[in-house]
Amino acid sequence: MKPFDYVRALGPGDATAAAGREGAAFIAGGTNLLDLMKLGVMTPSTLVDITHLHLDRVETTEDAGLRIGALVTNSDLANHAAVRRDYAVLSRALLAGASGQLRNKATTGGNLLQRTRCPYFYDTAMACNKRDPGSGCRAIGGVTRLHAILGASAHCIATHPSDMAVAMLALGAGVEVEGADGKRRVVALDDFYRLPGEWPDIETVLEPGDLITAVLLPPPPQGRQIYRKVRDRASYAFALASVAAVIRVDSGRIASAALAFGGIAPRPWRDGDAEAALIGEVPSREVFERAADILLADAQGQGGNEFKIDLTRRLLVSVLTEATEERT
Amino acid sequence: MQTRLHVNGTTHHLDIDPRTTLLDALRDHLRLTGSKKGCDHGQCGACTVLLNGRRINACLALACMHDHDEIITIEGLGGPDDLSPLQAAFVAHDGYQCGYCTPGQICSATAMLEEMADGWPSHVTDDLTGATKPDATEISERMSGNLCRCSAYPNIVDAILAVAAERTRA
Ligand SMILES: Cc1cc2nc3c(=O)[nH]c(=O)nc-3n(C[C@H](O)[C@H](O)[C@H](O)COP(=O)(O)OP(=O)(O)OC[C@H]3O[C@@H](n4cnc5c(N)ncnc54)[C@H](O)[C@@H]3O)c2cc1C
Ligand code: SF4
Ligand code: FES
Ligand code: FES
């Protein structure tokens, strides 16, 4: 590991000021950053410890939504009574991720900003535009089982690995950010992540020094909530594909549908047109297939991940079938 | 960098490089070599310790970030003359072959049983808001962060189930 200066921030102002230094990075749970620092993939010269900032509370907001502090651990969030009861898709997504040990350390902010699991990104001997902008992309034409079928570019085909962020996207979450000027703003999670384009090293709309202070959830949605994750082993593995669905059926027709996808794109993926194709329809296999057609119209395989196109289609149809089944 | 670690009830003052992981501080500086280094990347669970009562991977923690925290390692759970219930159950059920993963398994299971007692659901729990029952499926899911290269899984699960059953009887 490259040497670094360690700074313990005692207030958000401290944190954003220290993070303004060249080469500085925040550290929260450390479960992603330390892993990457050991490998020399990330080499911050200053580590700003934000774990003493008291951003570890889950509170009900004025509009009956939820405000989740950036330092709330993945375990505490998954086990929070209000989340289990009202935002089950989020509990389910968190419990489907990582391991008991990791969830006890991993934080809400860190989970949103975790880096890709592309094996070439992890291997400093390989060309990678995300790690080393302009060096090329060794994944293209390489082993691509984990890679994207939607939203990729000629410069990077990596996927975003988070489960939590997929559920939050389906729930319409917002990210509260404090800038170096001390001002707080809220960015819709749907506008938070950038597609790789020419610069896959820039993954979000955050500016240097920006601190995530919280994630905001709107009031609990009506309808059924499902998170389904497909992976290479039954537990403790990243998603090959996942779906978060919040679906409401009213008088035999689909009244609302929020769908987000993980493991298939450079960011948690949402497709308004696929959702719109469901609204007002009587649930049926044909209707679900049509939504899948729209979702996957631009899908492109990269060799080893070709299977994800069929997998995502079947996953979507299966989740929609379950979400719209009449309950006995 | 000056760091105070409370480990197994004893306070230690260490002067360490900030790069030192909690695992290396325990093993190399405090000579508590019960916690094992398998992968050093959060992928195996051999380094599992309890941090303020919760299980974590000590390889993905910086010691300097845990100034003043309470840490319990396998050495703190019990010794040859005073085995903890899980340690005794691993012996009784032959929950290991080479034993390398065992300290991590036992630390992990110790905290995992507390999580279950506190009503935490898991990925395989049917009802998120209902009760959890310790069966082999639940134990396997909840212990998935601890790999065993010898694949002693059936006996590990049996050992943990035995202690879980004892706890529900008590
Ligand atoms: C073996 C293994 C398996 C895993 N499996 C899964 C899985 O199946 N699903 C899944 O979703 N995840 C999985 N993970 C990833 C895990 O969820 C992340 O490592 C974790 O959520 C990161 O959170 P952290 O607090 O530890 O982040 P850190 O490692 O502390 O930080 C990550 C990044 O976020 C930045 N950051 C952190 N907090 C803030 C903030 N408040 N404001 C601004 N920047 C911030 C840091 O600077 C850093 O760049 C796995 C990890 C491992 C090691
Ligand atoms: S896919 Fe992206 S992360 Fe992977 S090697 Fe190519 S540029 Fe790097
Ligand atoms: S050594 Fe820490 S998880 Fe493997
Ligand atoms: S007993 Fe050998 S690794 Fe588990």
Side-chain angles (χ1 to χ4, degrees):
Chain A
M1 212 187 282
K2 288 256 167 62
F4 53 81
D5 289 331
Y6 171 78
V7 179
R8 186 174 300 156
L10 297 174
D14 268 14
T16 49
R21 289 202 215 168
E22 179 75 30
F26 295 124
I27 183 161
T31 59
N32 189 227
L33 186 53
L34 289 174
D35 185 8
L36 293 169
M37 285 170 66
K38 287 181 185 192
L39 295 166
V41 175
M42 289 179 80
T43 52
S45 50
T46 302
L47 265 196
V48 184
D49 177 357
I50 58 171
T51 58
H52 297 271
L53 295 188
H54 304 294
L55 299 171
D56 56 356
R57 289 215 305 272
V58 180
E59 300 156 308
T60 308
T61 58
E62 270 170 32
D63 70 346
L66 226 49
R67 184 177 188 279
I68 303 160
L71 293 171
V72 173
T73 65
N74 288 181
S75 292
D76 283 335
L77 189 55
N79 294 315
H80 193 277
V83 178
R84 282 154 70 175
R85 188 185 61 231
D86 299 330
Y87 303 96
V89 67
L90 178 55
S91 266
R92 288 286 179 204
L94 285 160
L95 293 171
S99 67
Q101 289 94 316
L102 289 159
R103 291 192 295 270
N104 278 338
K105 269 225 133 210
T107 65
T108 305
N111 192 313
L112 288 179
L113 293 181
Q114 62 175 302
R115 312 292 307 271
T116 185
R117 308 305 284 201
C118 170
Y120 304 100
F121 172 73
Y122 266 79
D123 184 344
T124 52
M126 298 287 172
C128 169
N129 288 323
K130 196 185 269 304
R131 176 172 25 78
D132 184 9
S135 64
C137 170
R138 186 59 188 80
I140 296 173
V143 176
T144 57
R145 189 169 176 77
L146 288 175
H147 291 79
I149 53 170
L150 288 168
S153 75
H155 304 275
C156 179
I157 59 171
T159 49
H160 193 273
S162 172
D163 291 296
M164 182 195 81
V166 176
M168 285 179 171
L169 184 62
L171 289 167
V175 185
E176 186 189 85
V177 179
E178 180 164 327
D181 57 5
K183 293 210 180 87
R184 290 197 180 176
R185 62 187 195 276
V186 177
V187 184
L189 187 57
D190 208 11
D191 300 327
F192 183 76
Y193 294 105
R194 290 176 73 263
L195 286 177
E198 226 177 308
W199 299 106
D201 53 314
I202 306 169
E203 297 172 347
T204 68
V205 298
L206 292 181
E207 299 289 336
D210 276 351
L211 175 73
I212 297 176
T213 47
V215 168
L216 304 172
L217 295 184
Q222 295 188 336
R224 221 177 282 188
Q225 302 185 27
I226 297 176
Y227 189 75
R228 186 90 64 82
K229 174 176 179 180
V230 181
R231 40 187 160 172
D232 277 329
R233 59 183 181 196
S235 189
Y236 202 17
F238 287 93
L240 293 169
S242 71
V243 184
V246 183
I247 309 277
R248 185 165 65 89
V249 179
D250 192 14
S251 314
R253 291 183 183 270
I254 300 173
S256 65
L259 297 168
F261 299 84
I264 60 168
R267 47 162 288 173
W269 193 258
R270 200 165 167 176
D271 185 328
D273 293 336
E275 291 172 7
L278 296 166
I279 307 297
E281 299 291 338
V282 175
S284 72
R285 178 147 195 137
E286 292 70 56
V287 168
F288 303 157
E289 290 281 356
R290 205 180 326 134
D293 288 341
I294 296 170
L295 172 74
L296 296 165
D298 296 329
Q300 221 182 346
Q302 306 279 350
N305 69 350
E306 204 83 47
F307 73 96
K308 284 189 182 181
I309 300 176
D310 283 342
L311 179 63
T312 304
R313 169 179 296 277
R314 291 175 192 155
L315 190 58
L316 177 59
V317 171
S318 160
V319 165
L320 288 173
T321 305
E322 185 188 332
T324 55
E325 258 165 11
E326 290 200 22
R327 271 192 249 219
T328 44
Chain B
M1 171 154 195
Q2 298 293 332
T3 303
R4 280 142 304 186
L5 291 179
H6 304 297
V7 185
N8 302 330
T10 309
T11 303
H12 301 272
H13 294 264
L14 295 175
D15 188 10
I16 47 173
D17 187 302
R19 288 174 289 182
T20 314
T21 62
L22 180 57
L23 180 60
D24 288 342
L26 292 169
R27 289 182 53 84
D28 301 344
H29 296 263
L30 300 177
R31 300 281 159 204
L32 290 167
T33 53
S35 308
K36 298 292 184 254
K37 186 182 284 191
C39 65
D40 215 18
H41 288 280
Q43 297 174 359
C44 76
C47 64
T48 305
V49 300
L50 307 187
L51 173 72
N52 302 325
R54 289 199 175 176
R55 50 179 171 159
I56 64 148
N57 300 121
C59 70
L60 289 186
L62 290 178
C64 64
M65 286 176 69
H66 296 289
D67 204 25
H68 280 311
D69 283 338
E70 292 286 343
I71 291 136
I72 295 177
T73 67
I74 188 72
E75 291 91 343
L77 289 179
D81 303 321
D82 59 338
L83 295 176
S84 79
L86 275 162
Q87 288 173 325
F90 269 66
V91 175
H93 291 266
D94 210 6
Y96 39 73
Q97 287 181 40
C98 76
Y100 196 79
C101 70
T102 312
Q105 299 277 2
I106 292 177
C107 283
S108 184
T110 301
M112 184 274 293
L113 291 177
E114 292 305 320
E115 294 167 3
M116 286 197 89
D118 290 342
W120 291 20
S122 84
H123 173 62
V124 299
T125 309
D126 284 334
D127 180 0
L128 276 184
T129 55
T132 53
K133 52 175 190 321
D135 57 22
T137 314
E138 281 283 359
I139 302 295
S140 302
E141 163 58 27
R142 289 168 191 264
M143 292 296 293
S144 71
N146 291 87
L147 304 192
C148 174
R149 186 70 174 77
C150 303
S151 210
Y153 298 113
N155 294 0
I156 293 172
V157 172
D158 284 350
I160 298 172
L161 277 174
V163 175
E166 233 167 77
R167 283 176 59 128
T168 30
R169 263 199 305 279

